[in-house]
Structure formats: C-alpha cells, structure tokens
Amino acid sequence: GFESEWYLWRLLGVREVPDGFQRTYLDLNLYSERGPYVSTKGKYRREPFFGEFMTNYIRDYGQDRIAGDDIDPPSEDRGRVTWRHRHFLPHQWQVTGELSWLSDAQYLREWYEEEDAEGKDQETLLHLKKQSQNQVFAALVKGRINDWQNEGAQAPRLDYHIIGEPLLDDRLSYYGRTTYMYGRVNLDERIRV
C-alpha cells in the first residue's frame, strides 16, 4: 500500500491559511487489498467558535475483519462525514451542532477501531444552552440519519436547572431540575423483536 498526508492549504495554492484553521490535511492512500482512500480532516478555532471536521471515502474491494471473522462490506463505496461545532453567543448563550453520517454499520469499527471503542458517540444534533450564575436552560433536538444505528431521537428536550438558590436569608438552598422531553428510540432495522 501507499499512504500520504498533504497540507491541504498548500496543495490548494492558498498562501495564507484562513484565520483560525489548524491541522488541515488531505490524505491520499492506496491499499492493495482494499482500494483507494481519500480523506480530509481539520480543526478550527476563532473567537467566538471552534470545531472539527472529517470526511473520507474508500472504494473498498476487501473484507472487514470483525471479531475474528472476514465479512464482506455492504457496499464497495464507503465513507463518513463528521462535523462538530460550538459557537458562543452574546448573553451567555451557546449553540452546539453535530453531524455524523457513516456509510454502514461496520465502517467505523473497521477503519477507526479506537474511535469506535472509546470515542464520542456518532450523533446528529443541535443543542442550545444559556448558563448564568446558578441557572441553566438547555434545548436539544437530536435526530438519526444512520438507519442502522441504535439511537434515541429527541425533538425537543428542554431542561431547566437551578443550583443553590438561597432562601430565607441564606438559611436554605433550593436545588431543582425540570425536564420536558419528547423522544423515540430508533433501533437498528436488522434487529428483530
């Protein structure tokens, strides 16, 4: 096989790296038993936001090795798109967005085994939060774009937390949590109940 990693901005002829972008690469690989593999990945950070992204594609002619078994992938065209972004807004508001698409249930386990075992869940969501002193308000909308993934969808989930609110001249403290949630668990289509 052959693996190469290219600094994306130089490859594109961009002389000055866009403000806030760091570690932005293009991988061009060729595996004799698997096929051609192309990937981009990068991180960015600017005031008032930060994030990371990764996309990749492989024309996969091989077999996955999962739990000691050789398994044919569901398709030769495989890949992923992952994007995570957090933006800080005025008045202590922040918004977090995530997008995760995987071509098939075996892809992450085969090509990103450590991330599959120990990494953050692959989710598609939008989360809005306001935090001030001892109070937090949060709203979450979460969906599922990978049909084979066991995941809960929430549309919306609303949370309000109050921590240590003084009462009776600071003789008592009030703690409270209120949650409204409408959700549904989406099971892998291959699971039979």
Side-chain angles (χ1 to χ4, degrees):
F2 169 79
E3 292 184 343
S4 66
E5 185 173 72
W6 302 79
Y7 191 58
L8 185 62
W9 302 115
R10 287 189 187 145
L11 188 65
L12 294 174
V14 176
R15 293 182 187 260
E16 290 189 33
V17 176
D19 189 30
F21 276 86
Q22 52 192 334
R23 296 183 292 236
T24 307
Y25 298 103
L26 171 69
D27 293 347
L28 298 173
N29 306 334
L30 180 61
Y31 302 110
S32 59
E33 295 183 8
R34 300 306 292 252
Y37 173 95
V38 178
S39 176
T40 60
K41 60 185 174 237
K43 294 184 177 191
Y44 55 89
R45 177 177 293 277
R46 286 176 58 184
E47 195 63 41
F49 60 82
F50 66 91
E52 63 184 354
F53 61 90
M54 176 189 285
T55 63
N56 54 57
Y57 168 80
I58 184 168
R59 183 75 174 170
D60 196 346
Y61 305 116
Q63 289 186 315
D64 293 343
R65 184 94 173 141
I66 297 176
D69 295 325
D70 290 330
I71 300 171
D72 290 327
S75 170
E76 290 182 348
D77 295 308
R78 304 176 79 187
R80 77 182 289 182
V81 175
T82 303
W83 175 64
R84 296 179 178 126
H85 179 85
R86 177 161 296 154
H87 204 111
F88 298 98
L89 303 170
H91 309 292
Q92 291 95 25
W93 285 94
Q94 75 179 35
V95 64
T96 301
E98 295 187 24
L99 171 73
S100 177
W101 173 82
L102 299 165
S103 60
D104 58 82
Q106 298 168 199
Y107 186 76
L108 203 63
R109 185 180 297 168
E110 177 66 14
W111 289 94
Y112 297 90
E113 187 175 356
E114 185 176 321
E115 182 181 356
D116 182 53
E118 301 172 8
K120 185 183 180 319
D121 288 342
Q122 303 297 309
E123 300 177 295
T124 299
L125 60 85
L126 185 62
H127 183 248
L128 180 67
K129 179 173 90 168
K130 179 180 173 91
Q131 184 170 341
S132 59
Q133 295 182 344
N134 64 339
Q135 298 179 44
V136 176
F137 168 78
L140 173 69
V141 176
K142 183 176 173 184
R144 180 177 86 154
I145 60 175
N146 299 316
D147 291 339
W148 43 264
Q149 194 170 11
N150 292 329
E151 190 172 25
Q154 299 177 2
R157 175 182 171 146
L158 303 173
D159 289 295
Y160 176 74
H161 304 265
I162 187 164
I163 301 168
E165 180 68 22
L167 300 172
L168 300 173
D169 286 330
D170 222 4
R171 291 189 177 110
L172 292 173
S173 294
Y174 173 73
Y175 294 81
R177 176 179 178 170
T178 304
T179 299
Y180 166 81
M181 178 173 55
Y182 176 80
R184 180 174 82 166
V185 175
N186 296 309
L187 297 176
D188 185 334
E189 295 176 343
R190 299 167 297 171
I191 296 175
R192 304 242 187 253
V193 179

